[in-house]
Amino acid sequence: ANSLLLSGYFELNHGSRSRAERDLEAAIEETETLLRGNLTDGQRSEAYRIAADAYLYLASIKGTLFQMTNGRKMRDYPIQALEADADNLRAVLSRSIFLVSVPRFAGGDVSAGVDLLRDRLSETSGPLRFRMLMWIGIGEREMGNTRASRSVLGEALEMMPGNSWAETELGKLN
């Protein structure tokens, strides 16, 4: 399921949206099948996290009707992942992305998403830390905290010089 998620994410950003849709739907189907079986807490947490991420990526392809139809899963799956394993830092990121990117009326809460990421940031390194920094920076920008956003996005760019996502998000502050 994770390889389907990664393939779908790659296709979404660098390839074919139709292949991304196919792979992400397959990742959801596979994880939801796994969730009906006997899993350890760690496996259950990761399955919920994979499904949550796949739903979020698919929402960017399928739009508002998909979001409305699947909003409960998009909201609840990261929570269930953290209930199964509070130390699943990728699930922390998934929960925070939902909180930062979804309107308040649909369950979003930018401040709570940023706080959740800041609380766990010291436990991360590498690409996961980069992604957390990016979402903290995006959240800070959404709350109107330009200086904090610039600082955090700058830190992310220092980790991955030349990263187009970090450069684009920093450019939105000008």
Side-chain angles (χ1 to χ4, degrees):
N2 195 50
S3 62
L4 289 165
L5 174 69
L6 294 174
S7 174
Y9 178 78
F10 178 82
E11 290 293 342
L12 179 63
N13 290 293
H14 305 290
S16 161
R17 290 177 78 82
S18 63
R19 285 194 304 263
E21 186 174 347
R22 179 200 65 213
D23 289 349
L24 293 168
E25 286 174 345
I28 289 169
E29 184 178 326
E30 190 171 310
T31 55
E32 289 180 342
T33 298
L34 287 170
L35 287 165
R36 290 190 286 274
N38 291 328
L39 300 173
T40 66
D41 287 345
Q43 291 168 328
R44 180 167 303 285
S45 176
E46 194 59 6
Y48 275 121
R49 195 273 312 167
I50 290 168
D53 288 352
Y55 273 109
L56 279 171
Y57 299 149
L58 261 178
S60 69
I61 296 171
K62 293 191 170 204
T64 305
L65 183 59
F66 179 85
Q67 293 170 9
M68 291 171 53
T69 305
N70 296 286
R72 184 176 306 259
K73 289 179 181 179
M74 293 169 63
R75 181 195 66 214
D76 292 347
Y77 279 6
I79 294 169
Q80 291 170 307
L82 290 169
E83 286 172 351
D85 180 2
D87 292 326
N88 184 340
L89 294 174
R90 290 185 292 183
V92 169
L93 178 61
S94 296
R95 174 71 178 141
S96 297
I97 291 171
F98 174 85
L99 290 168
V100 169
S101 62
V102 171
R104 184 172 287 282
F105 73 85
D109 184 339
V110 177
S111 180
V114 168
D115 289 346
L116 181 58
L117 289 170
R118 285 192 183 281
D119 288 347
R120 303 300 293 270
L121 185 63
S122 66
E123 301 171 49
T124 65
S125 61
L128 181 59
R129 182 178 182 82
F130 172 81
R131 290 182 66 207
M132 285 186 163
L133 287 168
M134 290 299 300
W135 281 101
I136 292 169
I138 291 166
E140 291 289 2
R141 184 188 70 229
E142 292 299 313
M143 292 186 295
N145 301 330
T146 305
R147 178 176 288 158
S149 178
R150 184 176 272 100
S151 174
V152 174
L153 292 171
E155 185 180 341
L157 190 58
E158 285 177 17
M159 284 185 72
M160 294 191 176
N163 181 278
S164 62
W165 181 26
E167 289 174 346
T168 298
E169 294 301 330
L170 271 168
K172 293 177 181 178
L173 296 172
N174 296 327

